[in-house]
């Protein structure tokens, strides 16, 4: 069982930066793949980035070069550093965990409650 808690969301101007954190409980967290997804109003939830236990990362084309995912297994935490934010990045951001990577949100088992990110123009 893994419990996930996101933090770090907020309001930022376009071009600004935020760092989201996903804190996890569970002794085997380091063996899980952790991903970030987001859902904007009226839109489906979409994949943003993910990181495997060994450090391999995946990113959507829409955030490549702007967002960086990393993890600190000693702290049971995964981070999403978001730079050069755009108004279209506005969404509720969720972290998720599972044993294998897939960009399909419905295949992930564990989810956090989400954190709001709002980017003003």
């Amino acid at each position: 069982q893994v419990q996930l808690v996101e933090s770090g969301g907020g309001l930022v101007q376009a071009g600004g930066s935020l760092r989201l954190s996903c804190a996890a409980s569970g002794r085997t967290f380091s063996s899980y793949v952790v991903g970030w997804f987001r859902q904007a109003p009226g839109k489906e939830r979409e994949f943003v980035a993910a990181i495997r236990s060994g450090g391999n990362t995946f990113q959507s084309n829409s955030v490549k070069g702007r967002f960086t995912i990393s993890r600190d297994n000693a702290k049971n935490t995964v981070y999403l550093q978001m730079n050069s934010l755009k108004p279209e990045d506005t969404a509720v951001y969720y972290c998720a965990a599972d044993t294998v990577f897939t960009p399909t949100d419905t295949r992930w088992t564990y989810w956090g409650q989400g954190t709001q990110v709002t980017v003003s123009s």
Side-chain angles (χ1 to χ4, degrees):
Q1 189 77 10
V2 176
Q3 293 182 326
L4 305 171
V5 179
E6 303 96 334
S7 62
L11 173 64
V12 64
Q13 289 188 332
S17 299
L18 282 174
R19 188 177 79 159
L20 305 183
S21 298
C22 174
S25 64
R27 291 177 296 173
T28 60
F29 172 73
S30 62
S31 66
Y32 281 82
V33 182
V34 179
W36 286 96
F37 292 78
R38 66 187 181 186
Q39 187 167 23
K43 295 188 177 181
E44 294 186 351
R45 190 162 54 188
E46 65 173 357
F47 169 72
V48 176
I51 185 167
R52 284 185 169 145
S53 59
N56 290 348
T57 61
F58 307 86
Q59 292 176 312
S60 70
N61 288 334
S62 62
V63 306
K64 198 166 290 184
R66 300 188 298 123
F67 291 10
T68 302
I69 188 170
S70 61
R71 68 191 298 163
D72 185 339
N73 289 332
K75 295 183 178 179
N76 274 9
T77 301
V78 169
Y79 304 99
L80 185 68
Q81 178 66 44
M82 306 186 295
N83 298 328
S84 302
L85 283 161
K86 304 175 182 180
E88 51 263 44
D89 295 317
T90 295
V92 177
Y93 284 70
Y94 299 90
C95 69
D98 212 305
T99 56
V100 295
F101 168 70
T102 171
T104 304
D105 63 332
T106 55
R107 303 287 293 272
W108 292 69
T109 302
Y110 303 105
W111 289 88
Q113 82 289 351
T115 186
Q116 176 70 47
V117 171
T118 303
V119 184
S120 63
S121 57

